[in-house]
Amino acid sequence: MCDIMKEKRPLILVGNDDGYSFNGIHTLIDVAREFGDVVVSAPTEFQSGKGSAITITVPLRATLHVDEPGLKVWLVNGTPADCCKLALDQLLDGRVPDLVLSGINHGANLGVASLNSGTMGVIFEGCVHGIESVAFSYGNYSYDADMSACVPVLRNVIARVLDHGLPRGVCLNVNIPYDKGPLKGYKVTSTCMGRWVHEFERRTDPHGHDYYWMTGEYAPHYTAGEDTDLYNFNRGWVTVTPCHVDQTDHEAMPAIERLLQ
């Protein structure tokens, strides 16, 4: 009977892009273990900004870092998407997870930043495989950020997604504000479209050679509307943005057909 009950516990796959040494993923692991058995597949090194990139030029190696009842931690010398793909194909002993979680990212993933986010790359991969997938990000960028304010949000979202599921092909980008007063609640939002400006700063090294350091600031294409993630995040709401990996603009297809006639 005990073995049967263990099998019925949900299996949760956890990844991130900051790497296993950051506080965020440890907070997410602790909460996820309240709901099921957890397998972690995380990068051995900091992999922020890798989006959905995969490794094709060097072999991937996975090291079993933790192996205890209800928890396995694999460290992988690849990108966040690599970690998720490898886990789903090789590291789960043939089991399919009930849920893929990513984060907690140290820093928000708002607007089109989700295109470059390795945190999002994990759940896009989970979504491709038809698995309920959720990314969590916190507005504190510090390496040792205290993530305790995120715990009630994690518990609420994880419980609801496990109980009710998500629409087919949809994953969630959840952003939790920092230093904006008490959380006001949840807002389901759209992505604030925009672009990065002043993206690089030119500097000179001691040998007199120029190099470029990434900086940048986000400039919305228009004033952030009241339905967008950026607008609501800045006002203390936890933003929940439904995302999908089908990038086809179905409404534009007739116009493109006319263009090509």
Side-chain angles (χ1 to χ4, degrees), residues 212-233:
Y212 300 88
W213 194 261
M214 179 176 286
T215 55
E217 57 188 80
Y218 194 65
H221 286 165
Y222 42 82
T223 301
E226 294 185 11
D227 66 332
T228 64
D229 52 7
L230 183 62
Y231 179 93
N232 288 283
F233 179 88

Side-chain angles (χ1 to χ4, degrees), residues 17 49-52 105 109 113-122 124 137:
D17 67 359
K50 293 299 177 71
S52 294
N105 192 65
N109 278 306
S114 60
L115 296 175
N116 304 115
S117 166
T119 306
M120 295 298 294
V122 173
F124 286 147
S137 300

Side-chain angles (χ1 to χ4, degrees), residues 2-257:
C2 290
D3 290 339
I4 294 174
M5 292 302 293
K6 287 180 181 178
E7 283 296 317
K8 290 184 177 180
R9 278 177 61 81
L11 178 62
I12 301 174
L13 177 61
V14 173
N16 75 342
D17 67 359
D18 293 323
Y20 187 66
S21 65
F22 277 64
N23 286 350
I25 192 169
H26 290 279
T27 302
L28 182 55
I29 292 167
D30 289 343
V31 175
R33 294 188 74 181
E34 299 175 12
F35 294 89
D37 295 334
V38 173
V39 175
V40 178
S41 184
T44 55
E45 299 178 351
F46 184 72
Q47 293 282 332
S48 184
K50 293 299 177 71
S52 294
I54 56 175
T55 300
I56 59 175
T57 57
V58 298
L60 293 179
R61 303 184 187 277
T63 302
L64 186 57
H65 183 68
V66 176
D67 187 2
E68 61 185 53
L71 176 65
K72 285 189 176 182
V73 176
W74 292 91
L75 303 183
V76 180
N77 66 322
T79 68
D82 285 333
C83 295
C84 187
K85 291 170 75 72
L86 186 64
L88 293 174
D89 191 70
Q90 295 287 327
L91 305 180
L92 298 179
D93 299 324
R95 293 184 66 187
V96 177
D98 299 279
L99 184 63
V100 173
L101 301 176
S102 184
I104 304 167
N105 192 65
H106 290 236
N109 278 306
L110 301 164
V112 297
S114 60
L115 296 175
N116 304 115
S117 166
T119 306
M120 295 298 294
V122 173
I123 67 162
F124 286 147
E125 194 62 41
C127 196
V128 165
H129 284 79
I131 304 167
E132 321 286 5
S133 301
V134 184
F136 295 96
S137 300
Y138 187 42
N140 188 334
Y141 289 80
S142 299
Y143 171 85
D144 59 350
D146 178 2
M147 296 284 176
S148 57
C150 302
V151 170
V153 176
L154 269 58
R155 285 177 175 150
N156 187 30
V157 173
I158 291 172
R160 290 174 181 271
V161 172
L162 282 173
D163 285 345
H164 304 289
L166 294 171
R168 183 177 178 180
V170 171
C171 52
L172 300 182
N173 179 18
V174 179
N175 282 278
I176 304 165
Y178 168 71
D179 198 24
K180 298 185 184 301
L183 297 177
K184 294 181 178 179
Y186 299 84
K187 288 280 189 179
V188 179
T189 58
S190 62
T191 299
C192 180
M193 298 304 296
R195 64 186 180 90
W196 292 93
V197 296
H198 312 302
E199 293 191 73
F200 295 93
E201 180 180 291
R202 186 172 66 182
R203 301 178 181 179
T204 305
D205 68 23
H207 302 285
H209 302 297
D210 288 343
Y211 68 97
Y212 300 88
W213 194 261
M214 179 176 286
T215 55
E217 57 188 80
Y218 194 65
H221 286 165
Y222 42 82
T223 301
E226 294 185 11
D227 66 332
T228 64
D229 52 7
L230 183 62
Y231 179 93
N232 288 283
F233 179 88
N234 285 337
R235 286 160 177 78
W237 295 90
V238 176
T239 64
V240 182
T241 305
C243 304
H244 56 76
V245 294
D246 179 1
Q247 298 185 45
T248 307
D249 189 335
H250 295 275
E251 293 182 0
M253 291 176 71
I256 302 305
E257 287 177 351

